Amino acid sequence: MIDHVHDLDAVREATERLLSATGKLDNAALAEPSRLPGWSRGHVLAHLSRNADALVNVLQGRPMYASSETRDADIDRDAPRLLAEQLADLRVSGDGFLAAAAAPADWSRTITMRNGVTDSASRVPFRRRVEVELHHVDLGIGYELEDLPEEFVIRENDFLAERFAGHPDVPPTTTVTPDGHLWTTGGGGDAGPVVVRGSATDILGWLCGRRDGSGLTAEGGPLPALPPL
């Protein structure tokens, strides 16, 4: 069962880690490339702030973004800001999300995300946690996938395996860790089945597109090429 209260506490902790780490940068560092193609560190931070606002929209029954073009334009507009402005925006927007999520609500209701994706409202806090944790890694400032809380890694693997389940371009795939965690995903196409072995962190890196899978081994066929998230 999803515990949105636990997830909100975890979002708060992850945000504080992000703010503390980002506060040690300088203005020049924000203009440097992040690990995301075409985005500076400033783009990543601007996205995180605007994502917090967008998830408030979701919780309150409004469209997540006015349009894809507006979303992209807002990120490009905010990316060049100075560090102090970025930090203040991260704090205010993050607090705004937490306040909206603290309001009495039916957490079993269905909400609509970007591109018409639907989900349970109870999963929105975890979705925000994913944004904060993975984009902290994307900044390339010393926080790595190996630094992510183990509980988060396991749950995000659950989420991503579910997301790719039945995908027509992903063969039936089972991922297995040395300590026995197992996820099944894919199911489309004529290839497979494939068994992928490696650590939960390396599996996460592959599933979320942050690593090429070189730390994994595949049996029954090559390591599947995953579509972009």
Side-chain angles (χ1 to χ4, degrees):
M1 180 179 295
I2 300 170
D3 184 348
H4 72 273
V5 174
H6 164 80
D7 288 335
L8 287 172
D9 286 340
V11 168
R12 187 176 290 104
E13 292 172 4
T15 302
E16 289 301 325
R17 281 195 297 273
L18 174 67
L19 285 165
S20 177
T22 306
K24 298 173 184 176
L25 303 177
D26 57 26
N27 293 322
L30 291 191
E32 294 173 351
S34 73
R35 291 173 174 173
L36 295 178
W39 271 15
S40 68
R41 292 190 177 109
H43 281 88
V44 174
L45 297 180
H47 163 63
L48 281 168
S49 294
R50 301 290 69 79
N51 171 263
D53 295 341
L55 290 177
V56 172
N57 289 337
V58 167
L59 289 174
Q60 296 179 351
R62 296 186 296 273
M64 188 169 181
Y65 296 101
S67 68
S68 293
E69 294 76 15
T70 299
R71 169 189 177 273
D72 295 343
D74 286 349
I75 293 170
D76 286 338
R77 177 198 67 205
D78 294 343
R81 295 177 302 178
L82 300 178
L83 177 63
E85 296 175 272
Q86 295 279 18
L87 292 174
D89 195 9
L90 275 172
R91 172 73 69 185
V92 171
S93 61
D95 287 348
F97 168 75
L98 291 171
D106 174 12
W107 286 97
S108 67
R109 71 191 188 280
T110 299
I111 50 86
T112 302
M113 303 290 295
R114 189 181 174 204
N115 298 325
V117 173
T118 59
D119 202 353
S120 168
S122 62
R123 186 127 66 165
V124 171
F126 185 72
R127 284 179 174 271
R128 176 60 180 173
R129 185 182 179 191
V130 171
E131 294 287 330
V132 175
E133 291 283 25
L134 292 186
H135 285 316
H136 190 166
V137 174
D138 293 332
L139 289 172
I141 56 175
Y143 190 68
E144 304 295 341
L145 294 179
E146 283 76 14
D147 297 312
L148 295 169
E150 180 181 8
E151 171 259 351
F152 170 81
V153 172
I154 300 302
R155 288 186 61 197
E156 177 63 350
N157 282 348
D158 291 343
F159 181 74
L160 292 171
E162 178 183 330
R163 184 164 182 171
F164 290 122
H167 196 287
D169 297 328
V170 182
T173 303
T174 300
T175 62
V176 185
T177 67
D179 57 357
H181 281 102
L182 182 150
W183 297 273
T184 59
T185 193
D190 299 326
V194 178
V195 176
V196 175
R197 300 184 186 277
S199 70
T201 300
D202 279 329
I203 290 171
L204 171 62
W206 171 62
L207 287 173
C208 72
R210 266 69 179 183
R211 291 186 179 170
D212 62 7
S214 57
L216 303 171
T217 61
E219 304 166 7
L223 185 71
L226 298 177
L229 291 171

